Amino acid sequence: MPSLMINNETIEVPDGTMLIDAARQAGVEIPTLCYLEGIQRIGACRVCLVEVEGARTLMTACTTPVTDGMKVKTNSKRVREGRRTVLELLLSEHEGDCQSCVRNDDCELKKLAQLFGIEEVHYKGSKVPRKTDWSTSALVRDPGKCIMCRRCITVCNEIQNVGSLAPQGRGFKMSIGPAFEHPLSDVVCVQCGQCSLVCPVGAISERDQIEKVFEALDDPDKHVVVQTAPAIRAALGECFDYPPGTLVTGKMVSALRRLGFDAVFDTNFAADLTIMEEGNELLTRLKNALQDGKQTALPMFTSCSPGWIKYMEHRHPDMLDNLSTCKSPQQMFGAVAKTFYAEKIGKRPEDICVVSVMPCTAKKFEAQRPEMQASGMADVDVVLTTRELGRMIRRAGIQFQSLPDDTMDSPLGMSSGAADIFANTGGVMEAALRTAYEVITGRTLPFENLHVQPLSGLDGIKEAEVRIEGTQPEWRFLEGVTLKVAVAHALGNAEKLLQRIQSGESEYHFVEVMTCPGGCIGGGGQPRITDNATRLARIEAIYREDEGKRIRKSNENPEILQLYGEFLGQPLGEKSHHLLHTKYVLRNEV
Amino acid sequence: MGNENITACACQEDVPLEELLTRVDPVIEQYRQKPGGLIPALQIVQGIIGYLPEEAIKRIASGFGKSFSEVAGVVGFYSFFSTTPRGRHVIRVCLGTACYVRGAGQVLEAIKRNLQIDVGETTKDRIFSLEVARCFGACGLAPAIMVDEDVHHRVKPSRVGDIFERYRLRRNGGEAVIMAERSAAL
């Protein structure tokens, strides 16, 4: 283990450690705008400059490996001046209309400029023209604000395997964006918003629809209902300075009520509904394949994550039959709200406005898909991300921290713990197994505390096997079958898994894919994060929420049973087929 | 790449783009598995079509399993690649250090005047396109320009018109003229 001296303090670090990590180990923060833990260290922004004894120039801490006996200064005059110069150069090329920028309160560049006491920019840089791209329903891109840190490129290409963004042109004329300055809507983009999650400035952000929601709330003729996705409650607190992993479910409900929503419901309710439909779909497929010998597409893939769906439509048109036909919980909720609930309160669907709060930018896209109009119009009217809800609560002058806890309304507000874990990678699979195993065998899923341990955590691809024994008569064909399942999160991992499946290297019955690293808790619409520590804290909070629930399985949710009893009939029934299932389309391959 | 024509091709102008695009596929097939195969494939395709239209780039991206944006980024990075149709002959003026100090700037100005076009443009009659480049490795004979694959040494601003005239002749069935000159030069 090499040892080095950082600002007169000697520490030992593992071989191959970069200076930036060594400094953090020594309790020294090195500023950076392009570094992404475990994902990108390319020394592009040059802000992480440090002084290494014996080196001719200042070195970038993110690309310099520690060598034994190194002596490093991170706070010398030379370092401060070097960083200041770099920041001024970056500012000289940045369209900094900070007052009206969506990133005003959390811009990393602005923070560093303040930190290093920059009062004047001495350079006149060449700026990329501001051709703001409004072409997608999820994201807004302003290349004029881009500082070329390449974080978005790396997540889009390497983590997500999508590649909508790349450096275009060269030198002063270089810009970051789609080919030939096309709008994002013209190239393959799944609108996952991971780029907006890591952008240090206001160059890529969610398409803000807060005012549209205020407008609906102001309209006395509209009955405005809101649903919040499982992942929101474990992250919204971060918008109000709570540490990552703080559950704020009760305060969130209070805040939504104070914003003026007529009813506060839960996407979790629809997650339970999804399990009922998707679980039964899986069992039907297994029956077709194993008992009746019918041609059936297996493995079945989950369909909750709209980025993943769009990815499949672009890249794997031959495997669309493998996608579950179930709509996502967001859309199931919308369809049920504008039919079953509308009927219940004696309103027409056009008088109801359904607002979603999602951890996801792609949900904005999903809500606008023409397939999502089971009620005769858009089933979900407006989708806000977690970040937007945070801003909306502030704009309304609501003091979040001092709010009392409140609970969701009935009849679309109750949920099981299985619905909570939809937020985590591995969660949809675990929720499905909890219900499916019980349906097949009449017994509880034989895992400690109902957690399928091998499917949790941040490994990119996870697998589990569940042997089925002691089946109910109806499911005899599954007797002795070992159910093989897999879970992937981040589309790059999903692609690897797809290739294993296509080559025959791996065989599964059921596969869960979530578009974003960590699952929805790490979604593109969540409070911005660049590290796994935050992801893990949110994951842990979600499991806590699940374990705190009286009901842990979707099939035991009484409001779900009521919905089937009063309205839907049975899973996969005719009404379900019309309201809760969908079909997929072919999209451009490049 | 052997003898493949990798610069602007002079003989395909009347073939419709649709058909030229079908000739891209064997190139993709040949290079898609080779490490670093993208750039030679782009070069050859540019040779076939004369430039790299978006349709060709999309086809190549798809064949190589890369994204359209990434391949467009590669095309945009190298000045050798052109995404607009070019003239029958491509003139490249070296602005490398040696050529520059030996008067490449004046040569370039003379060419612009002579052809009435700017860098990156093509003459109205689609015979010449003008580009700038950095070093052909002919520094000892600076200033140098290239017309297609021919390097012209110690170019004088006052004589650029003479050089281009020979290529005009070539267009008018004067192939033999050039060939004779080439052999003489060897």
Side-chain angles (χ1 to χ4, degrees):
Chain A
M1 292 231 299
S3 79
L4 78 162
M5 194 186 262
I6 298 181
N7 304 337
N8 299 323
E9 193 187 328
T10 306
I11 58 161
E12 273 199 351
V13 295
D15 273 323
T17 305
M18 295 290 159
L19 271 180
I20 195 165
D21 300 318
R24 281 177 186 178
Q25 201 181 312
V28 176
E29 188 63 31
I30 307 272
T32 175
L33 290 168
C34 68
Y35 174 79
L36 282 177
E37 182 195 285
I39 297 171
Q40 170 167 287
R41 39 173 109 246
I42 55 172
C45 74
R46 319 303 294 173
V47 178
C48 65
L49 293 174
V50 294
E51 197 172 347
V52 178
E53 197 177 283
R56 191 173 54 85
T57 57
L58 294 172
M59 308 290 279
T60 45
C62 72
T63 57
T64 308
V66 171
T67 55
D68 196 42
M70 212 175 216
K71 287 181 182 165
V72 183
K73 285 182 189 153
T74 68
N75 186 30
S76 62
K77 183 161 187 264
R78 197 173 159 217
V79 167
R80 287 192 304 273
E81 277 177 0
R83 290 179 187 169
R84 215 161 12 230
T85 305
V86 167
L87 284 166
E88 277 192 45
L89 287 167
L90 286 170
L91 287 165
S92 77
E93 297 190 344
H94 171 71
E95 283 287 359
D97 60 347
C98 302
Q99 301 92 326
S100 58
C101 179
V102 65
R103 294 300 298 276
N104 186 301
D105 61 344
D106 69 341
C107 173
E108 293 178 43
L109 178 61
K110 189 180 136 196
K111 272 188 193 150
L112 289 184
Q114 280 168 346
L115 193 65
F116 285 88
I118 290 170
E119 291 168 346
E120 194 187 338
V121 176
H122 294 87
Y123 311 101
K124 197 168 154 40
S126 94
K127 296 179 182 177
V128 174
R130 300 188 67 172
K131 282 189 214 151
T132 309
D133 179 356
W134 293 90
S135 66
T136 66
S137 29
L139 297 162
V140 181
R141 259 179 16 92
D142 180 349
K145 290 180 182 167
C146 175
I147 57 165
M148 323 271 176
C149 72
R150 299 180 183 229
R151 282 182 180 174
C152 58
I153 296 178
T154 302
V155 295
C156 188
N157 286 267
E158 287 168 33
I159 305 298
Q160 299 296 57
N161 192 45
V162 171
S164 359
L165 305 171
Q168 306 295 334
R170 188 172 182 173
F172 286 111
K173 287 189 178 148
M174 191 186 82
S175 65
I176 306 293
F180 297 101
E181 296 186 11
H182 278 300
L184 259 186
S185 59
D186 280 11
V187 296
V188 175
C189 166
V190 302
Q191 306 193 21
C192 68
Q194 283 295 308
C195 52
S196 75
L197 201 64
V198 296
C199 180
V201 295
I204 312 181
S205 52
E206 66 281 5
R207 194 176 179 132
D208 188 307
Q209 290 182 302
I210 295 175
E211 284 305 321
K212 210 174 159 194
V213 178
F214 274 125
E215 240 168 68
L217 290 169
D218 288 344
D219 183 345
D221 298 329
K222 283 270 180 207
H223 182 82
V224 190
V225 304
V226 64
Q227 56 164 327
T228 54
I232 313 299
R233 57 212 73 188
L236 180 64
E238 291 165 41
C239 301
F240 302 97
D241 303 324
Y242 285 98
T246 309
L247 284 168
V248 294
T249 321
K251 286 187 194 306
M252 174 181 78
V253 176
S254 282
L256 292 168
R257 237 183 260 297
R258 282 174 201 215
L259 282 170
F261 287 101
D262 294 298
V264 180
F265 290 137
D266 208 343
T267 313
N268 286 25
F269 168 82
D272 279 332
L273 185 56
T274 303
I275 288 300
M276 299 302 285
E277 294 292 327
E278 198 163 295
N280 278 288
E281 185 186 353
L282 175 69
L283 292 175
T284 307
R285 287 193 192 213
L286 291 175
K287 192 173 187 183
N288 286 344
L290 301 177
Q291 180 183 288
D292 305 342
K294 284 192 211 157
Q295 196 70 18
T296 307
L298 283 174
M300 184 173 90
F301 292 115
T302 57
S303 56
C304 304
S305 187
W308 155 243
I309 295 296
K310 193 161 186 278
Y311 182 85
M312 288 293 278
E313 290 175 328
H314 283 294
R315 294 277 170 78
H316 294 281
D318 54 327
M319 291 185 86
L320 292 182
D321 286 343
N322 293 68
L323 288 171
S324 160
T325 58
C326 287
K327 287 181 184 171
S328 72
Q330 158 172 283
Q331 295 305 142
M332 285 202 184
F333 178 93
V336 169
K338 288 200 177 180
T339 53
F340 168 70
Y341 174 70
E343 241 175 79
K344 238 183 158 49
I345 60 166
K347 298 235 179 230
R348 296 174 306 168
E350 50 266 46
D351 297 329
I352 295 183
C353 175
V354 175
V355 176
S356 303
V357 184
M358 293 286 140
C360 180
T361 49
K363 288 282 172 193
K364 289 175 185 274
F365 163 79
E366 183 189 57
Q368 295 194 356
R369 290 182 67 126
E371 299 87 4
M372 301 300 167
Q373 303 186 355
S375 61
M377 65 206 60
D379 296 327
V380 172
D381 296 275
V382 195
V383 180
L384 297 181
T385 58
T386 318
R387 297 195 289 266
E388 286 165 273
L389 178 62
R391 291 202 295 275
M392 191 175 177
I393 292 169
R394 279 182 199 280
R395 194 170 301 171
I398 295 166
Q399 295 230 328
F400 191 82
Q401 294 229 9
S402 60
L403 288 173
D405 284 348
D406 200 346
T407 51
M408 307 266 184
D409 292 318
S410 191
L412 311 177
M414 190 177 214
S415 62
S416 74
D420 287 306
I421 58 174
F422 264 58
N424 292 347
T425 168
V428 173
M429 181 60 73
E430 182 174 311
L433 288 176
R434 286 183 191 178
T435 289
Y437 191 86
E438 197 159 297
V439 168
I440 299 166
T441 65
R443 299 189 312 275
T444 305
L445 182 68
F447 281 89
E448 194 189 334
N449 211 2
L450 289 176
H451 292 316
V452 186
Q453 205 58 42
L455 299 180
S456 64
L458 288 178
D459 288 343
I461 296 173
K462 296 166 283 188
E463 295 172 318
E465 293 186 351
V466 181
R467 195 172 154 79
I468 295 172
E469 277 166 337
T471 49
Q472 303 280 43
E474 193 185 343
W475 307 105
R476 188 79 7 112
F477 67 93
L478 285 169
E479 186 64 42
V481 169
T482 299
L483 204 60
K484 293 182 182 173
V485 301
V487 167
H489 58 119
L491 293 174
N493 293 324
E495 180 62 42
K496 280 183 211 146
L497 187 60
L498 281 171
Q499 281 171 11
R500 279 198 217 162
I501 291 167
Q502 280 181 319
S503 71
E505 185 190 336
S506 302
E507 267 188 24
Y508 307 103
H509 298 103
F510 191 22
V511 175
E512 173 207 289
V513 177
M514 294 193 189
T515 306
C516 294
C520 308
I521 53 93
Q526 292 278 61
R528 290 188 170 79
I529 45 163
T530 53
D531 61 358
N532 277 339
T534 307
R535 287 191 187 96
L536 287 167
R538 291 176 185 169
I539 285 175
E540 190 270 329
I542 290 290
Y543 283 127
R544 240 187 303 134
E545 183 88 339
D546 162 34
E547 285 162 15
K549 285 272 171 76
R550 195 169 49 82
I551 297 168
R552 304 278 308 280
K553 287 164 256 170
S554 303
N555 49 312
E556 291 174 357
N557 180 341
E559 285 188 358
I560 292 289
L561 301 176
Q562 184 193 355
L563 175 66
Y564 278 109
E566 288 180 16
F567 184 69
L568 289 174
Q570 54 182 0
L572 306 185
E574 201 197 316
K575 257 201 173 125
S576 289
H577 176 75
H578 172 61
L579 295 175
L580 309 180
H581 290 258
T582 186
K583 52 187 185 305
Y584 305 109
V585 298
L586 298 177
R587 298 184 192 275
N588 51 317
E589 189 201 338
V590 288
Chain B
M1 271 166 291
N3 296 322
E4 281 151 319
N5 182 2
I6 56 165
T7 56
C9 180
C11 49
Q12 310 283 13
E13 267 167 27
D14 302 326
V15 183
L17 182 59
E18 296 298 304
E19 202 203 312
L20 289 175
L21 282 172
T22 62
R23 299 186 202 169
V24 170
D25 295 335
V27 181
I28 294 171
E29 202 41 55
Q30 193 187 343
Y31 283 93
R32 55 193 291 267
Q33 303 288 1
K34 290 187 185 165
L38 178 63
I39 288 176
L42 287 167
Q43 281 181 298
I44 294 166
V45 171
Q46 175 160 298
I48 293 170
I49 305 176
Y51 69 110
L52 290 168
E54 284 190 28
E55 295 86 338
I57 296 174
K58 280 184 179 170
R59 214 168 174 115
I60 292 168
S62 162
F64 274 77
K66 293 181 183 297
S67 80
F68 178 35
S69 297
E70 183 184 351
V71 179
V74 172
V75 170
F77 186 81
Y78 294 102
S79 59
F80 185 86
F81 294 128
S82 172
T83 53
T84 48
R86 296 192 301 176
R88 180 173 286 251
H89 303 292
V90 179
I91 301 160
R92 293 192 178 83
V93 180
C94 177
L95 291 182
T97 311
C99 288
Y100 194 81
V101 298
R102 299 269 296 170
Q106 289 93 302
V107 172
L108 180 62
E109 287 312 310
I111 295 174
K112 285 186 194 172
R113 264 197 315 277
N114 183 282
L115 298 177
Q116 299 283 303
I117 53 172
D118 211 334
V119 174
E121 293 180 352
T122 300
T123 53
K124 278 201 188 113
D125 56 12
R126 294 275 306 271
I127 296 180
F128 293 108
S129 293
L130 178 57
E131 290 175 5
V132 293
R134 297 278 183 275
C135 198
F136 311 136
C139 309
L141 300 162
I145 70 170
M146 276 180 89
V147 180
D148 301 336
E149 283 164 45
D150 309 328
V151 182
H152 297 263
H153 304 130
R154 290 193 175 134
V155 177
K156 292 190 175 68
S158 57
R159 302 295 300 276
V160 294
D162 299 347
I163 296 174
F164 302 152
E165 203 46 44
R166 282 183 280 166
Y167 290 87
R168 278 189 217 280
L169 285 175
R170 184 184 187 179
R171 175 171 167 71
N172 300 328
E175 194 76 11
V177 179
I178 301 282
M179 293 317 287
E181 279 179 11
R182 270 194 197 163
S183 349
L186 290 171

